[in-house]
Amino acid sequence: MRFILRRIGFYLLAFWVSITLNFLLPRLMPGDPVTRMLSRSQQRLEPQQIEALQQMLGVNGGPWWQEYPDYLRRVLTGDFGVSISRFPTPVTEVIAQQLPWTLLLGGVSLVIAVVLGNLLGILAAWRRGGLLDSVAPPLLVFIGSFPYFWLAMGALYLFGVMLGWAPLRHAFSVGLTPSWDPTFIGDVAAHLVLPALSIVLVSIGGWMLGMRNTMIATNAEDYILMAEAKGLSPSRIMLRYGARNALLPSVTSIGMSIGFIVGGALLTEVVFAYPGVGYQLLAAVQGLDYPLMQGLFLTITAAVLLANLLVDLVYVRLDPRVRVA
Amino acid sequence: MSVLEVQDLTVEYVSDERSVRGADRVSFSIEQGEILGLAGESGCGKSTCANAIMRLLKEPARITGGSIRFDGHDVLDMDAARLRQWRWREVAMVFQSAMSSLNPVMRIGDQLVDTLRAHERISRADAWRRAGELLAMVRIDADRLRAYPHQLSGGQRQRVVIAMACALRPRLLILDEPTTALDVVVQQEILQQIRELQRELDFAVLFITHDMSLMLELSDRIGIMVAGRIVELAPAATIRDDARHPYTRALMGAFPPISGPRTRLSGLAEGVRFTDVPDLVEVAPGHLVAPGGAPIQEEAA
Amino acid sequence: MSIQSPESLAHAAAVRDAAEPPSTRSIATRPPERRPRARGRQLLRLLRALSRNGKAVAGLVILLVFVALALAAPLLFPGDPSRIGSGGATPPSAEHLLGTTAKGQDVLALTIWGARSSLLVGFVAGVLSTIVGIVVGLTSAFFGKRVDDALSLVTNVFLLIPGLPLLVLLAAFLPAGLGTVIAVLVITGWAGSARVLRAQGMSIRGKDYVGAAITSGERPLRIMLREMLPNMASIVMTTLLACVIGAIGAQAGLEFLGLGDANTLSWGTNLFWASSDGALMIGQWWIFVPSGLAIALVAFALALCNYAVDEVTNPRLRRPRTARSATAPTTVARKEDAR
């Protein structure tokens, strides 16, 4: 329990740092951020929009020690202001529409990549020098060397444009309204295949190699030799003694890599025009929608921190040594 | 008939550049209920022999010669499935690093249970009860079954491993430096325990250590190993009082007698190296020695 | 009792029993236990071992080819490669080996010129991230206690904040330019290497020769640079390679999103233009493939080197000569006669 409490404290601190970074960034720039922003923006903004911008960025006068607590209070109560590009929709409302799609895409690809990659790693390490151990690592490392977005575009071109097997863009077909009926779910799944595939392809090699190397180290542990001497069956030694222990560092790295998956999802969303947080973030950057940008960044950060907390909880279940006696 | 008979066992570590002999034409046998000690410095091949007997050595090690017969069966002819049945049922082993030979993420009860259930048709509940009895046998409270290895002390962990080793009442128990990582008091407790269990269950023991005083305390017969070869094999008393091989004498001179007058300790000087050890010759009934070897300098500084 | 055992009196036996057979250890693979007699010795050994490793050599050759092409770009394709020509979007031909873009630019020229900024940014950002990582990691490991607590906290916070979104945010706020791209890549990239180097530094900090240096009153900076750092050569190298891979990928991603410096010519901007011209959607694969493949090849080459360093420093990872399951019993290969 102490472990989890310490982690929660740490995540709160990390979140506070992100908020503060968000607060500081526009203010560190020379000159008045609102004017600067307006000069870079091509479209003309309505006076209300400018006002909303000023209010969000808190540059309508007042020294920082008055603005900062105010800013903190607004962010923590979920008030990110009003979107500029989709004026006057509140930022939170925009995010609420996008977030589920990113969670779906990121979650599905993370789970597939982790499960499949770890499984391959376990098997490769178990039979060193076998086909899987010799062929898969270099191949997957090569595939993993391509940029996320490039592989996504390649998949889009090959399976979408040329072969016409999969839909080209968005998370569901035009004309359908989101609901829980099977047609819609099937349609969503069809739209999910290519984006998820490209994320899985790029990231699976890392999981496999990581697991393989940990498993090779684990196989040299004394308790594996002991299990072997005890005459246990190979599958039991591999799973209960080997993989079960090698899984622990793998779980830790899930936490560390969630940020990367989010980055990959962001680029993939852009390629497939997938209506998630990443796609929206790029749109916000292009539309110079600073309130939305900040809101999205903080949302993504919060999601990553929560996912890490989840991973910690899983870790505590898996490793009796941190489960304080 | 001997429980274990090892004839000319040769183990080589083969790599692209060279091949090194870990054990070189090693021969010995162990009788029912006997304790045979194997002594020698680190790297002399004691553990290689122990692991070779159970066919536990990994690549690049391979057995390139000799035979290992257990109860008349050729261990080197057994396939993986047969070996799996034979291991632990007939020969159990307590490893050098008993501290780390328990799976850290499994309760010790579960580890005892899966040992029993790998070899016997027995329900989980019965196995759990048996596991409790085994713990009691090594004087650990049965409610520690639910503990994880990290919650036990080093001595307790080693006793759990010993209980595990006795679980199937094997004919032979291999103890590979079973007390190296423990402090002296716990060492004595563990040895005492092994002696009691041995008396009660009447298994044979192959005891491996570099600690000559422990060796003399526990063993009936002792073999001295150097560079993968046995250079002297004799009853413990003979080794203690009438060692013939210079290396054995150097070893005996390297630790203080527990009682008796003060004597000067002599170390194993750099000069005492044996590279090509000839085959053993029987100099007295039951006393085998490798001929030759440089005599040790009595006044080595 | 055990003090008087032959173990402690016998000469230092390099060969341990069954656990680690002698043949698997080579000179280069010994972990850094002792203080190297000459500085840089470990690095030299590492390099020598790498020069015998096929993966390392392959990776290095690929890298050198790209570097050579990048340097030779002005000779191979004189003039401004991004100048708009006539007759756009032709497929590969004898005249334009990789075809032309919609704007009539030669794709091969764009790709080779693009290597200059991509490699430069990648390596500079990678090296800078590693240096920051070394400074933070070593300081943390050497001083320990409060210093370590504070630095670890900062490192872990930076590790947790998702990189690409932060990259996007920073790039959006800071003025566009190559310097910004590099700065942004370093800000988001250093934490990973700091974490790894701290861990390695900690284990070296505990070694006797470091303790001896402290007792003899050497200055902390000198100990860090001359006693600790040389013994971390292999880990520094793997982190450096990883940082460069990360930086090249992140730069490409940033530019692909249109957040880089649109005036520089790089693989990322090539792909940005290819995508915004819709090249792929109308089947002009030749505009899209070369830059992506170039990124992948460079990253793969770096990954190969990384792989090789791992193999050299950890013999267990080397491929065994024959396929074997982890619990296979010892092979019995009796010769007719034992000798």
Side-chain angles (χ1 to χ4, degrees), chain B residues 12-13 16 18 21 41-43 45 47 55-59 62-64 66 76 83 210 213 251 254 256 270 273, chain C residues 1 4-7 9 11 13 15 17-18 21-24 321 324 326 328-335 338-339:
Chain B
E12 285 181 65
Y13 293 97
D16 296 331
R18 59 196 178 133
R21 289 200 171 193
E41 64 191 65
S42 293
S47 293
R55 296 271 304 274
L56 285 171
L57 291 172
K58 297 277 169 277
E59 290 280 294
R62 36 182 69 196
I63 297 170
T64 53
L76 300 187
L83 268 174
H210 58 257
S213 41
L251 259 190
E270 265 306 312
R273 296 262 68 90
Chain C
M1 199 181 289
Q4 263 75 31
S5 66
E7 180 122 320
L9 293 163
H11 73 301
V15 181
D17 258 356
S23 51
T24 59
R321 290 175 308 161
R324 288 190 72 78
T330 316
T331 319
V332 180
R334 280 202 197 90
K335 299 165 186 169
R339 176 164 297 186

Side-chain angles (χ1 to χ4, degrees), chain C:
Chain C
M1 199 181 289
S2 56
I3 310 169
Q4 263 75 31
S5 66
E7 180 122 320
S8 55
L9 293 163
H11 73 301
V15 181
R16 263 206 280 150
D17 258 356
E20 208 154 37
S23 51
T24 59
R25 300 180 127 205
S26 70
I27 299 159
T29 62
R30 211 166 286 156
E33 289 151 351
R34 270 156 279 162
R35 183 197 170 176
R37 262 175 229 124
R39 260 179 301 130
R41 185 100 164 267
Q42 209 215 355
L43 186 65
L44 260 171
R45 274 203 213 128
L46 180 66
L47 292 178
R48 208 174 304 139
L50 283 177
S51 69
R52 285 193 296 266
N53 184 300
K55 291 192 183 79
V57 173
L60 206 63
V61 167
I62 300 176
L63 275 184
L64 286 178
V65 168
F66 273 100
V67 170
L69 283 175
L71 290 175
L75 300 172
L76 294 170
F77 295 95
D80 181 6
S82 50
R83 197 184 55 242
I84 292 166
S86 57
T90 54
S93 62
E95 196 189 344
H96 298 285
L97 286 176
L98 292 179
T100 59
T101 67
K103 301 192 189 78
Q105 302 143 318
D106 185 88
V107 174
L108 183 59
L110 284 179
T111 310
I112 290 179
W113 276 89
R116 293 168 79 91
S117 124
S118 285
L119 290 181
L120 182 76
V121 171
F123 276 92
V124 170
V127 168
L128 289 179
S129 305
T130 311
I131 291 177
V132 176
I134 290 175
V135 170
V136 174
L138 270 185
T139 313
S140 209
F142 182 82
F143 291 103
K145 301 195 190 103
R146 295 255 175 77
V147 178
D148 180 35
D149 287 344
L151 287 177
S152 298
L153 197 66
V154 176
T155 311
N156 287 333
V157 166
F158 267 87
L159 265 177
L160 268 185
I161 297 178
L164 199 67
L166 179 61
L167 220 60
V168 168
L169 198 72
L170 286 172
F173 275 113
L174 298 173
L178 216 57
T180 303
V181 173
I182 292 178
V184 166
L185 291 179
V186 173
I187 292 173
T188 53
W190 66 273
S193 59
R195 190 177 147 113
V196 175
L197 292 167
R198 169 184 170 270
Q200 175 80 4
M202 292 285 242
S203 79
I204 289 180
R205 174 69 174 77
K207 296 271 191 280
D208 288 342
Y209 60 81
V210 176
I214 295 170
T215 318
S216 70
E218 280 191 54
R219 278 179 299 120
L221 189 67
R222 196 186 144 84
I223 298 175
M224 281 190 258
L225 293 183
R226 301 194 58 168
E227 312 279 344
M228 293 171 70
L229 193 57
N231 282 310
M232 296 164 67
S234 62
I235 201 99
V236 168
M237 198 179 298
T238 47
T239 5
L240 174 64
L241 291 169
C243 277
V244 175
I245 295 176
I248 288 180
Q251 183 207 8
L254 208 55
E255 288 171 341
F256 174 73
L257 293 177
L259 294 170
D261 182 1
N263 296 319
T264 52
L265 188 58
S266 73
W267 293 330
T269 43
N270 286 348
L271 289 172
F272 169 70
W273 291 116
S275 140
S276 66
D277 291 346
L280 200 59
M281 292 307 116
I282 45 177
Q284 295 162 354
W285 53 269
W286 61 88
I287 305 174
F288 165 79
V289 169
S291 289
L293 201 60
I295 296 174
L297 277 175
V298 169
F300 184 57
L302 291 164
L304 276 181
C305 294
N306 217 336
Y307 212 67
V309 176
D310 277 348
E311 273 188 0
V312 165
T313 46
N314 184 356
R316 271 199 211 119
L317 294 180
R318 274 183 223 155
R319 226 179 81 104
R321 290 175 308 161
T322 47
R324 288 190 72 78
S325 153
T327 52
T330 316
T331 319
V332 180
R334 280 202 197 90
K335 299 165 186 169
E336 289 81 8
D337 193 345
R339 176 164 297 186

Side-chain angles (χ1 to χ4, degrees), chain A residues 126 215 218 223-224 227 232-246, chain B residues 103-107 110-111 114 124 148:
Chain A
W126 196 251
M215 187 78 179
T218 308
Y223 50 79
I224 300 287
L232 303 186
S233 73
S235 63
R236 188 171 176 81
I237 302 177
M238 179 172 86
L239 297 174
R240 281 297 303 254
Y241 285 74
R244 179 66 177 69
N245 278 289
Chain B
N103 184 348
V105 296
M106 264 171 94
R107 296 178 196 280
D110 289 326
Q111 299 188 51
D114 76 1
R124 257 202 74 83
Y148 287 94

Side-chain angles (χ1 to χ4, degrees), chain B residues 64-78:
Chain B
T64 53
S67 68
I68 299 169
R69 302 188 80 80
F70 185 89
D71 222 2
H73 300 287
D74 189 345
V75 177
L76 300 187
D77 267 353
M78 293 184 189

